[in-house]
Amino acid sequence: MMDRFWDFLLGKKAGKKEYHELVKTVRRSDAGKKQAREQLKSMMESDDPEVLNQIAEARIRLYSQAAYEGDEQAQYRVGLSQAKLGNKEVSLEWLTGLAKKGDVKAMKAIARGYAQNGIYGYSREEYRHWTQKAAEAGDAQAQADLGLFYAAKNEKLSRYWYQKSAKQNWPAGCVGLGKAYYNEALLSFGKQEDGRREALMQKAEQYFLLAANGAAKNRDFAAACHELGVFYETTAPGEETAKRAAYFYYQAWSGGKQNEDREAFERIRDKYGLKVHTEDPEKWEHEIFG
C-alpha cells in the first residue's frame, strides 16, 4: 500500500484508496498519533511540491466544513493550507479573522507570511505589525522576534522586548538580552568604571547560560552555545576561559553543525594545547566546571 501511496503523491498514480489513505494519515497526525506524524513528516521532508500540495489539499478537505461552522482550530489549519497552495487572499481572510479575535498563532502565521521569502510578499511594516500584536499578547517567541527586529535601529525598544521574552525563559530572548548586555559592556570601556563593566558581563553570561539550559531545540541550543563560545574567547583571554570557549564552540557545532563553530573549537584547542573529551561530554564538562 505504501508504494502505491507514494506513487499517488508523486503524481504517478491516482486513485480513491490512495487519496483516502492520505486524508486518514493527515487526520491521525493532527490528532497526535506518533506513527502518522512521523509518516507525514517524512513526506514533507521530500520537499516535492506535489506532495506538499496534496497534504495541504487533504487538510482543506478535512477541515473546511468545521471552519465554516466556526471551529477556530479548523480555521487556522485551512488558512495555513491555503497559504501553502499559494491562495494568498483566501489564506489571509481566514487567518486575519482569527487574529482579530486574539488568536496568537494566527498573528504569528501572518507575520511569517510577510517576512523575507514569506508567502504574502515581503513587508517590514506588516511583519512588525503582526509580530507586535503577538508580542503584546504575551507570546515569548514574538517578543524575541520583535527584539531582533529593533536591534539595529532602536536599542531601547529591542532590549525592552528581549527582556519580556527572557522573563519567560525563551532561549532566543535570553540570547538577545545577553548580547545587548555584552555589547554595552564592550562599548563601556574607557567610559565606565570596572565594576559596572563587570556587572554587565555577568548579566550577559547569565542570560547566555539560561538560553543554553532552557533550549529544547538544537538550533536554540547551538545559538546559545555559540554566544557563550564568543563570550569566553573574548572577555578574558587565558587557558581557563579558553577551555570554556572550546567546550561551548564544540557544543554549538554539535547542535547546529556550523563550520565556523567547529573551526573556532579547533583553533582554540590547538592554540592552547587543550585536552578535550568530545567522546565523553559529561567528563569534559566536569573537568571544566567541577
Side-chain angles (χ1 to χ4, degrees), residues 243-275:
K243 288 179 181 179
R244 295 190 175 197
Y247 172 82
F248 282 111
Y249 275 132
Y250 184 82
Q251 295 301 323
W253 179 81
S254 297
K257 302 301 181 186
Q258 296 296 312
N259 287 335
E260 63 174 318
D261 291 318
R262 182 62 184 259
E263 291 167 1
F265 157 70
E266 292 174 345
R267 182 185 69 247
I268 295 169
R269 178 199 61 190
D270 296 344
K271 178 179 179 180
Y272 290 91
L274 299 178
K275 182 179 180 181

PDB file of all heavy atoms in Angstrom, residues 243-275:
ATOM      1  N   LYS A 243      39.349  27.087  27.775  1.00  0.00           N
ATOM      2  CA  LYS A 243      38.726  25.777  27.961  1.00  0.00           C
ATOM      3  C   LYS A 243      37.212  25.880  27.805  1.00  0.00           C
ATOM      4  O   LYS A 243      36.574  25.040  27.169  1.00  0.00           O
ATOM      5  CB  LYS A 243      39.067  25.220  29.343  1.00  0.00           C
ATOM      6  CG  LYS A 243      40.502  24.755  29.494  1.00  0.00           C
ATOM      7  CD  LYS A 243      40.743  24.254  30.917  1.00  0.00           C
ATOM      8  CE  LYS A 243      42.183  23.794  31.101  1.00  0.00           C
ATOM      9  NZ  LYS A 243      42.441  23.335  32.496  1.00  0.00           N
ATOM     10  N   ARG A 244      36.645  26.915  28.406  1.00  0.00           N
ATOM     11  CA  ARG A 244      35.192  27.098  28.310  1.00  0.00           C
ATOM     12  C   ARG A 244      34.774  27.454  26.887  1.00  0.00           C
ATOM     13  O   ARG A 244      33.763  26.967  26.388  1.00  0.00           O
ATOM     14  CB  ARG A 244      34.737  28.190  29.292  1.00  0.00           C
ATOM     15  CG  ARG A 244      34.936  27.813  30.741  1.00  0.00           C
ATOM     16  CD  ARG A 244      34.257  28.782  31.687  1.00  0.00           C
ATOM     17  NE  ARG A 244      34.373  28.337  33.073  1.00  0.00           N
ATOM     18  CZ  ARG A 244      33.624  28.783  34.064  1.00  0.00           C
ATOM     19  NH1 ARG A 244      32.699  29.716  33.828  1.00  0.00           N
ATOM     20  NH2 ARG A 244      33.782  28.330  35.293  1.00  0.00           N
ATOM     21  N   ALA A 245      35.546  28.325  26.268  1.00  0.00           N
ATOM     22  CA  ALA A 245      35.230  28.725  24.891  1.00  0.00           C
ATOM     23  C   ALA A 245      35.237  27.507  23.968  1.00  0.00           C
ATOM     24  O   ALA A 245      34.322  27.310  23.160  1.00  0.00           O
ATOM     25  CB  ALA A 245      36.228  29.771  24.398  1.00  0.00           C
ATOM     26  N   ALA A 246      36.272  26.675  24.084  1.00  0.00           N
ATOM     27  CA  ALA A 246      36.372  25.480  23.242  1.00  0.00           C
ATOM     28  C   ALA A 246      35.190  24.552  23.492  1.00  0.00           C
ATOM     29  O   ALA A 246      34.603  24.001  22.551  1.00  0.00           O
ATOM     30  CB  ALA A 246      37.684  24.756  23.509  1.00  0.00           C
ATOM     31  N   TYR A 247      34.863  24.378  24.761  1.00  0.00           N
ATOM     32  CA  TYR A 247      33.741  23.495  25.118  1.00  0.00           C
ATOM     33  C   TYR A 247      32.439  23.971  24.468  1.00  0.00           C
ATOM     34  O   TYR A 247      31.714  23.183  23.848  1.00  0.00           O
ATOM     35  CB  TYR A 247      33.590  23.443  26.643  1.00  0.00           C
ATOM     36  CG  TYR A 247      32.354  22.706  27.110  1.00  0.00           C
ATOM     37  CD1 TYR A 247      32.343  21.315  27.194  1.00  0.00           C
ATOM     38  CD2 TYR A 247      31.198  23.406  27.453  1.00  0.00           C
ATOM     39  CE1 TYR A 247      31.207  20.640  27.611  1.00  0.00           C
ATOM     40  CE2 TYR A 247      30.060  22.733  27.875  1.00  0.00           C
ATOM     41  CZ  TYR A 247      30.072  21.345  27.956  1.00  0.00           C
ATOM     42  OH  TYR A 247      28.938  20.683  28.359  1.00  0.00           O
ATOM     43  N   PHE A 248      32.151  25.257  24.576  1.00  0.00           N
ATOM     44  CA  PHE A 248      30.878  25.756  24.061  1.00  0.00           C
ATOM     45  C   PHE A 248      30.860  25.850  22.534  1.00  0.00           C
ATOM     46  O   PHE A 248      29.819  25.632  21.915  1.00  0.00           O
ATOM     47  CB  PHE A 248      30.520  27.095  24.706  1.00  0.00           C
ATOM     48  CG  PHE A 248      29.979  26.940  26.099  1.00  0.00           C
ATOM     49  CD1 PHE A 248      30.699  27.370  27.200  1.00  0.00           C
ATOM     50  CD2 PHE A 248      28.743  26.332  26.302  1.00  0.00           C
ATOM     51  CE1 PHE A 248      30.199  27.210  28.486  1.00  0.00           C
ATOM     52  CE2 PHE A 248      28.235  26.167  27.585  1.00  0.00           C
ATOM     53  CZ  PHE A 248      28.969  26.599  28.680  1.00  0.00           C
ATOM     54  N   TYR A 249      31.989  26.142  21.935  1.00  0.00           N
ATOM     55  CA  TYR A 249      32.033  26.107  20.467  1.00  0.00           C
ATOM     56  C   TYR A 249      31.754  24.684  19.964  1.00  0.00           C
ATOM     57  O   TYR A 249      31.055  24.500  18.962  1.00  0.00           O
ATOM     58  CB  TYR A 249      33.395  26.576  19.951  1.00  0.00           C
ATOM     59  CG  TYR A 249      33.541  28.076  19.808  1.00  0.00           C
ATOM     60  CD1 TYR A 249      34.671  28.735  20.309  1.00  0.00           C
ATOM     61  CD2 TYR A 249      32.575  28.837  19.150  1.00  0.00           C
ATOM     62  CE1 TYR A 249      34.822  30.108  20.163  1.00  0.00           C
ATOM     63  CE2 TYR A 249      32.722  30.210  19.002  1.00  0.00           C
ATOM     64  CZ  TYR A 249      33.846  30.833  19.515  1.00  0.00           C
ATOM     65  OH  TYR A 249      33.992  32.201  19.365  1.00  0.00           O
ATOM     66  N   TYR A 250      32.311  23.707  20.665  1.00  0.00           N
ATOM     67  CA  TYR A 250      32.072  22.327  20.240  1.00  0.00           C
ATOM     68  C   TYR A 250      30.598  21.955  20.418  1.00  0.00           C
ATOM     69  O   TYR A 250      30.002  21.297  19.565  1.00  0.00           O
ATOM     70  CB  TYR A 250      32.950  21.354  21.031  1.00  0.00           C
ATOM     71  CG  TYR A 250      32.799  19.930  20.531  1.00  0.00           C
ATOM     72  CD1 TYR A 250      33.507  19.500  19.415  1.00  0.00           C
ATOM     73  CD2 TYR A 250      31.923  19.041  21.158  1.00  0.00           C
ATOM     74  CE1 TYR A 250      33.350  18.207  18.925  1.00  0.00           C
ATOM     75  CE2 TYR A 250      31.759  17.754  20.674  1.00  0.00           C
ATOM     76  CZ  TYR A 250      32.469  17.340  19.561  1.00  0.00           C
ATOM     77  OH  TYR A 250      32.295  16.066  19.072  1.00  0.00           O
ATOM     78  N   GLN A 251      30.002  22.383  21.546  1.00  0.00           N
ATOM     79  CA  GLN A 251      28.583  22.113  21.769  1.00  0.00           C
ATOM     80  C   GLN A 251      27.729  22.809  20.704  1.00  0.00           C
ATOM     81  O   GLN A 251      26.719  22.254  20.240  1.00  0.00           O
ATOM     82  CB  GLN A 251      28.172  22.586  23.168  1.00  0.00           C
ATOM     83  CG  GLN A 251      28.824  21.834  24.309  1.00  0.00           C
ATOM     84  CD  GLN A 251      28.533  20.340  24.276  1.00  0.00           C
ATOM     85  OE1 GLN A 251      27.441  19.917  23.925  1.00  0.00           O
ATOM     86  NE2 GLN A 251      29.528  19.537  24.623  1.00  0.00           N
ATOM     87  N   ALA A 252      28.139  24.015  20.325  1.00  0.00           N
ATOM     88  CA  ALA A 252      27.409  24.735  19.270  1.00  0.00           C
ATOM     89  C   ALA A 252      27.494  23.967  17.961  1.00  0.00           C
ATOM     90  O   ALA A 252      26.496  23.827  17.242  1.00  0.00           O
ATOM     91  CB  ALA A 252      27.981  26.141  19.100  1.00  0.00           C
ATOM     92  N   TRP A 253      28.678  23.467  17.650  1.00  0.00           N
ATOM     93  CA  TRP A 253      28.825  22.698  16.412  1.00  0.00           C
ATOM     94  C   TRP A 253      27.997  21.418  16.465  1.00  0.00           C
ATOM     95  O   TRP A 253      27.345  21.037  15.488  1.00  0.00           O
ATOM     96  CB  TRP A 253      30.302  22.349  16.176  1.00  0.00           C
ATOM     97  CG  TRP A 253      30.473  21.538  14.928  1.00  0.00           C
ATOM     98  CD1 TRP A 253      30.524  22.003  13.647  1.00  0.00           C
ATOM     99  CD2 TRP A 253      30.567  20.117  14.837  1.00  0.00           C
ATOM    100  NE1 TRP A 253      30.641  20.956  12.765  1.00  0.00           N
ATOM    101  CE2 TRP A 253      30.669  19.787  13.463  1.00  0.00           C
ATOM    102  CE3 TRP A 253      30.574  19.092  15.791  1.00  0.00           C
ATOM    103  CZ2 TRP A 253      30.783  18.478  13.021  1.00  0.00           C
ATOM    104  CZ3 TRP A 253      30.685  17.784  15.348  1.00  0.00           C
ATOM    105  CH2 TRP A 253      30.789  17.498  13.973  1.00  0.00           C
ATOM    106  N   SER A 254      27.986  20.756  17.605  1.00  0.00           N
ATOM    107  CA  SER A 254      27.219  19.519  17.752  1.00  0.00           C
ATOM    108  C   SER A 254      25.730  19.758  17.527  1.00  0.00           C
ATOM    109  O   SER A 254      25.038  18.920  16.952  1.00  0.00           O
ATOM    110  CB  SER A 254      27.441  18.920  19.147  1.00  0.00           C
ATOM    111  OG  SER A 254      28.793  18.568  19.332  1.00  0.00           O
ATOM    112  N   GLY A 255      25.239  20.918  17.988  1.00  0.00           N
ATOM    113  CA  GLY A 255      23.812  21.204  17.853  1.00  0.00           C
ATOM    114  C   GLY A 255      23.421  21.798  16.523  1.00  0.00           C
ATOM    115  O   GLY A 255      22.312  21.561  16.034  1.00  0.00           O
ATOM    116  N   GLY A 256      24.335  22.573  15.908  1.00  0.00           N
ATOM    117  CA  GLY A 256      23.970  23.283  14.681  1.00  0.00           C
ATOM    118  C   GLY A 256      24.761  22.928  13.447  1.00  0.00           C
ATOM    119  O   GLY A 256      24.401  23.304  12.333  1.00  0.00           O
ATOM    120  N   LYS A 257      25.883  22.220  13.634  1.00  0.00           N
ATOM    121  CA  LYS A 257      26.728  21.791  12.512  1.00  0.00           C
ATOM    122  C   LYS A 257      27.187  22.958  11.636  1.00  0.00           C
ATOM    123  O   LYS A 257      27.289  22.833  10.416  1.00  0.00           O
ATOM    124  CB  LYS A 257      26.009  20.748  11.648  1.00  0.00           C
ATOM    125  CG  LYS A 257      25.586  19.503  12.403  1.00  0.00           C
ATOM    126  CD  LYS A 257      26.775  18.794  13.031  1.00  0.00           C
ATOM    127  CE  LYS A 257      26.337  17.531  13.778  1.00  0.00           C
ATOM    128  NZ  LYS A 257      27.453  16.887  14.513  1.00  0.00           N
ATOM    129  N   GLN A 258      27.494  24.086  12.273  1.00  0.00           N
ATOM    130  CA  GLN A 258      28.034  25.225  11.547  1.00  0.00           C
ATOM    131  C   GLN A 258      29.555  25.136  11.539  1.00  0.00           C
ATOM    132  O   GLN A 258      30.181  25.022  12.601  1.00  0.00           O
ATOM    133  CB  GLN A 258      27.585  26.548  12.194  1.00  0.00           C
ATOM    134  CG  GLN A 258      26.090  26.777  12.157  1.00  0.00           C
ATOM    135  CD  GLN A 258      25.570  26.916  10.740  1.00  0.00           C
ATOM    136  OE1 GLN A 258      26.133  27.653   9.937  1.00  0.00           O
ATOM    137  NE2 GLN A 258      24.475  26.222  10.435  1.00  0.00           N
ATOM    138  N   ASN A 259      30.150  25.240  10.356  1.00  0.00           N
ATOM    139  CA  ASN A 259      31.601  25.083  10.244  1.00  0.00           C
ATOM    140  C   ASN A 259      32.367  26.096  11.078  1.00  0.00           C
ATOM    141  O   ASN A 259      33.447  25.791  11.594  1.00  0.00           O
ATOM    142  CB  ASN A 259      32.026  25.185   8.779  1.00  0.00           C
ATOM    143  CG  ASN A 259      31.642  23.956   7.977  1.00  0.00           C
ATOM    144  OD1 ASN A 259      31.494  22.871   8.534  1.00  0.00           O
ATOM    145  ND2 ASN A 259      31.476  24.119   6.676  1.00  0.00           N
ATOM    146  N   GLU A 260      31.828  27.307  11.210  1.00  0.00           N
ATOM    147  CA  GLU A 260      32.547  28.340  11.964  1.00  0.00           C
ATOM    148  C   GLU A 260      32.739  27.922  13.422  1.00  0.00           C
ATOM    149  O   GLU A 260      33.762  28.248  14.039  1.00  0.00           O
ATOM    150  CB  GLU A 260      31.812  29.681  11.895  1.00  0.00           C
ATOM    151  CG  GLU A 260      30.435  29.685  12.521  1.00  0.00           C
ATOM    152  CD  GLU A 260      29.811  31.067  12.547  1.00  0.00           C
ATOM    153  OE1 GLU A 260      30.531  32.038  12.852  1.00  0.00           O
ATOM    154  OE2 GLU A 260      28.610  31.171  12.273  1.00  0.00           O
ATOM    155  N   ASP A 261      31.765  27.191  13.983  1.00  0.00           N
ATOM    156  CA  ASP A 261      31.890  26.740  15.369  1.00  0.00           C
ATOM    157  C   ASP A 261      32.936  25.633  15.484  1.00  0.00           C
ATOM    158  O   ASP A 261      33.738  25.615  16.421  1.00  0.00           O
ATOM    159  CB  ASP A 261      30.539  26.258  15.895  1.00  0.00           C
ATOM    160  CG  ASP A 261      29.552  27.394  16.062  1.00  0.00           C
ATOM    161  OD1 ASP A 261      29.951  28.458  16.544  1.00  0.00           O
ATOM    162  OD2 ASP A 261      28.367  27.218  15.697  1.00  0.00           O
ATOM    163  N   ARG A 262      32.938  24.720  14.538  1.00  0.00           N
ATOM    164  CA  ARG A 262      33.947  23.644  14.553  1.00  0.00           C
ATOM    165  C   ARG A 262      35.344  24.233  14.373  1.00  0.00           C
ATOM    166  O   ARG A 262      36.305  23.834  15.062  1.00  0.00           O
ATOM    167  CB  ARG A 262      33.643  22.645  13.428  1.00  0.00           C
ATOM    168  CG  ARG A 262      34.599  21.448  13.383  1.00  0.00           C
ATOM    169  CD  ARG A 262      34.508  20.623  14.662  1.00  0.00           C
ATOM    170  NE  ARG A 262      35.460  19.539  14.689  1.00  0.00           N
ATOM    171  CZ  ARG A 262      35.156  18.266  14.419  1.00  0.00           C
ATOM    172  NH1 ARG A 262      33.917  17.956  14.078  1.00  0.00           N
ATOM    173  NH2 ARG A 262      36.055  17.328  14.501  1.00  0.00           N
ATOM    174  N   GLU A 263      35.479  25.180  13.478  1.00  0.00           N
ATOM    175  CA  GLU A 263      36.782  25.805  13.235  1.00  0.00           C
ATOM    176  C   GLU A 263      37.263  26.580  14.461  1.00  0.00           C
ATOM    177  O   GLU A 263      38.449  26.566  14.791  1.00  0.00           O
ATOM    178  CB  GLU A 263      36.694  26.714  12.015  1.00  0.00           C
ATOM    179  CG  GLU A 263      36.518  25.942  10.705  1.00  0.00           C
ATOM    180  CD  GLU A 263      36.113  26.833   9.548  1.00  0.00           C
ATOM    181  OE1 GLU A 263      35.994  28.056   9.755  1.00  0.00           O
ATOM    182  OE2 GLU A 263      35.908  26.301   8.434  1.00  0.00           O
ATOM    183  N   ALA A 264      36.335  27.277  15.140  1.00  0.00           N
ATOM    184  CA  ALA A 264      36.700  28.023  16.349  1.00  0.00           C
ATOM    185  C   ALA A 264      37.157  27.070  17.450  1.00  0.00           C
ATOM    186  O   ALA A 264      38.145  27.331  18.152  1.00  0.00           O
ATOM    187  CB  ALA A 264      35.515  28.864  16.820  1.00  0.00           C
ATOM    188  N   PHE A 265      36.424  25.959  17.601  1.00  0.00           N
ATOM    189  CA  PHE A 265      36.814  24.946  18.591  1.00  0.00           C
ATOM    190  C   PHE A 265      38.216  24.431  18.307  1.00  0.00           C
ATOM    191  O   PHE A 265      39.070  24.367  19.209  1.00  0.00           O
ATOM    192  CB  PHE A 265      35.800  23.799  18.568  1.00  0.00           C
ATOM    193  CG  PHE A 265      36.338  22.501  19.106  1.00  0.00           C
ATOM    194  CD1 PHE A 265      36.601  22.351  20.459  1.00  0.00           C
ATOM    195  CD2 PHE A 265      36.608  21.440  18.243  1.00  0.00           C
ATOM    196  CE1 PHE A 265      37.117  21.152  20.953  1.00  0.00           C
ATOM    197  CE2 PHE A 265      37.113  20.243  18.723  1.00  0.00           C
ATOM    198  CZ  PHE A 265      37.371  20.098  20.080  1.00  0.00           C
ATOM    199  N   GLU A 266      38.491  24.080  17.067  1.00  0.00           N
ATOM    200  CA  GLU A 266      39.798  23.512  16.718  1.00  0.00           C
ATOM    201  C   GLU A 266      40.907  24.540  16.871  1.00  0.00           C
ATOM    202  O   GLU A 266      42.018  24.206  17.318  1.00  0.00           O
ATOM    203  CB  GLU A 266      39.754  22.974  15.284  1.00  0.00           C
ATOM    204  CG  GLU A 266      38.845  21.744  15.142  1.00  0.00           C
ATOM    205  CD  GLU A 266      38.682  21.304  13.704  1.00  0.00           C
ATOM    206  OE1 GLU A 266      39.029  22.102  12.789  1.00  0.00           O
ATOM    207  OE2 GLU A 266      38.202  20.175  13.469  1.00  0.00           O
ATOM    208  N   ARG A 267      40.626  25.792  16.535  1.00  0.00           N
ATOM    209  CA  ARG A 267      41.630  26.859  16.662  1.00  0.00           C
ATOM    210  C   ARG A 267      42.050  27.042  18.119  1.00  0.00           C
ATOM    211  O   ARG A 267      43.247  27.114  18.430  1.00  0.00           O
ATOM    212  CB  ARG A 267      41.058  28.166  16.112  1.00  0.00           C
ATOM    213  CG  ARG A 267      42.047  29.335  16.158  1.00  0.00           C
ATOM    214  CD  ARG A 267      41.413  30.629  15.716  1.00  0.00           C
ATOM    215  NE  ARG A 267      40.419  31.113  16.668  1.00  0.00           N
ATOM    216  CZ  ARG A 267      39.117  31.194  16.434  1.00  0.00           C
ATOM    217  NH1 ARG A 267      38.627  30.795  15.261  1.00  0.00           N
ATOM    218  NH2 ARG A 267      38.290  31.655  17.349  1.00  0.00           N
ATOM    219  N   ILE A 268      41.062  27.108  19.004  1.00  0.00           N
ATOM    220  CA  ILE A 268      41.360  27.327  20.420  1.00  0.00           C
ATOM    221  C   ILE A 268      42.021  26.092  21.029  1.00  0.00           C
ATOM    222  O   ILE A 268      42.981  26.199  21.800  1.00  0.00           O
ATOM    223  CB  ILE A 268      40.068  27.690  21.181  1.00  0.00           C
ATOM    224  CG1 ILE A 268      39.533  29.026  20.674  1.00  0.00           C
ATOM    225  CG2 ILE A 268      40.311  27.759  22.686  1.00  0.00           C
ATOM    226  CD1 ILE A 268      38.154  29.357  21.157  1.00  0.00           C
ATOM    227  N   ARG A 269      41.510  24.913  20.681  1.00  0.00           N
ATOM    228  CA  ARG A 269      42.111  23.664  21.184  1.00  0.00           C
ATOM    229  C   ARG A 269      43.590  23.579  20.819  1.00  0.00           C
ATOM    230  O   ARG A 269      44.442  23.262  21.669  1.00  0.00           O
ATOM    231  CB  ARG A 269      41.358  22.474  20.588  1.00  0.00           C
ATOM    232  CG  ARG A 269      41.906  21.103  20.992  1.00  0.00           C
ATOM    233  CD  ARG A 269      41.429  20.034  20.030  1.00  0.00           C
ATOM    234  NE  ARG A 269      41.891  20.292  18.663  1.00  0.00           N
ATOM    235  CZ  ARG A 269      41.462  19.630  17.590  1.00  0.00           C
ATOM    236  NH1 ARG A 269      40.539  18.693  17.715  1.00  0.00           N
ATOM    237  NH2 ARG A 269      41.948  19.924  16.387  1.00  0.00           N
ATOM    238  N   ASP A 270      43.905  23.882  19.566  1.00  0.00           N
ATOM    239  CA  ASP A 270      45.285  23.770  19.103  1.00  0.00           C
ATOM    240  C   ASP A 270      46.165  24.883  19.668  1.00  0.00           C
ATOM    241  O   ASP A 270      47.342  24.642  20.008  1.00  0.00           O
ATOM    242  CB  ASP A 270      45.325  23.792  17.575  1.00  0.00           C
ATOM    243  CG  ASP A 270      44.624  22.587  16.955  1.00  0.00           C
ATOM    244  OD1 ASP A 270      44.382  21.605  17.683  1.00  0.00           O
ATOM    245  OD2 ASP A 270      44.287  22.654  15.757  1.00  0.00           O
ATOM    246  N   LYS A 271      45.629  26.070  19.788  1.00  0.00           N
ATOM    247  CA  LYS A 271      46.409  27.209  20.296  1.00  0.00           C
ATOM    248  C   LYS A 271      46.884  26.968  21.722  1.00  0.00           C
ATOM    249  O   LYS A 271      48.036  27.271  22.074  1.00  0.00           O
ATOM    250  CB  LYS A 271      45.577  28.490  20.229  1.00  0.00           C
ATOM    251  CG  LYS A 271      46.295  29.707  20.782  1.00  0.00           C
ATOM    252  CD  LYS A 271      45.417  30.956  20.673  1.00  0.00           C
ATOM    253  CE  LYS A 271      46.127  32.175  21.252  1.00  0.00           C
ATOM    254  NZ  LYS A 271      45.289  33.399  21.158  1.00  0.00           N
ATOM    255  N   TYR A 272      46.002  26.419  22.565  1.00  0.00           N
ATOM    256  CA  TYR A 272      46.328  26.221  23.978  1.00  0.00           C
ATOM    257  C   TYR A 272      46.715  24.781  24.306  1.00  0.00           C
ATOM    258  O   TYR A 272      47.019  24.477  25.470  1.00  0.00           O
ATOM    259  CB  TYR A 272      45.150  26.654  24.854  1.00  0.00           C
ATOM    260  CG  TYR A 272      44.930  28.146  24.874  1.00  0.00           C
ATOM    261  CD1 TYR A 272      44.082  28.755  23.961  1.00  0.00           C
ATOM    262  CD2 TYR A 272      45.588  28.959  25.802  1.00  0.00           C
ATOM    263  CE1 TYR A 272      43.880  30.125  23.973  1.00  0.00           C
ATOM    264  CE2 TYR A 272      45.395  30.333  25.826  1.00  0.00           C
ATOM    265  CZ  TYR A 272      44.542  30.905  24.906  1.00  0.00           C
ATOM    266  OH  TYR A 272      44.339  32.276  24.918  1.00  0.00           O
ATOM    267  N   GLY A 273      46.703  23.906  23.302  1.00  0.00           N
ATOM    268  CA  GLY A 273      47.021  22.508  23.549  1.00  0.00           C
ATOM    269  C   GLY A 273      46.065  21.880  24.549  1.00  0.00           C
ATOM    270  O   GLY A 273      46.499  21.132  25.451  1.00  0.00           O
ATOM    271  N   LEU A 274      44.797  22.153  24.404  1.00  0.00           N
ATOM    272  CA  LEU A 274      43.808  21.715  25.389  1.00  0.00           C
ATOM    273  C   LEU A 274      43.514  20.224  25.279  1.00  0.00           C
ATOM    274  O   LEU A 274      43.467  19.658  24.181  1.00  0.00           O
ATOM    275  CB  LEU A 274      42.503  22.498  25.202  1.00  0.00           C
ATOM    276  CG  LEU A 274      42.566  24.017  25.374  1.00  0.00           C
ATOM    277  CD1 LEU A 274      41.204  24.631  25.097  1.00  0.00           C
ATOM    278  CD2 LEU A 274      43.054  24.381  26.775  1.00  0.00           C
ATOM    279  N   LYS A 275      43.306  19.619  26.430  1.00  0.00           N
ATOM    280  CA  LYS A 275      42.854  18.233  26.484  1.00  0.00           C
ATOM    281  C   LYS A 275      41.325  18.250  26.505  1.00  0.00           C
ATOM    282  O   LYS A 275      40.710  18.819  27.418  1.00  0.00           O
ATOM    283  CB  LYS A 275      43.390  17.549  27.741  1.00  0.00           C
ATOM    284  CG  LYS A 275      43.008  16.076  27.839  1.00  0.00           C
ATOM    285  CD  LYS A 275      43.592  15.457  29.104  1.00  0.00           C
ATOM    286  CE  LYS A 275      43.216  13.983  29.204  1.00  0.00           C
ATOM    287  NZ  LYS A 275      43.759  13.361  30.452  1.00  0.00           N
TER     288      LYS A 275
END
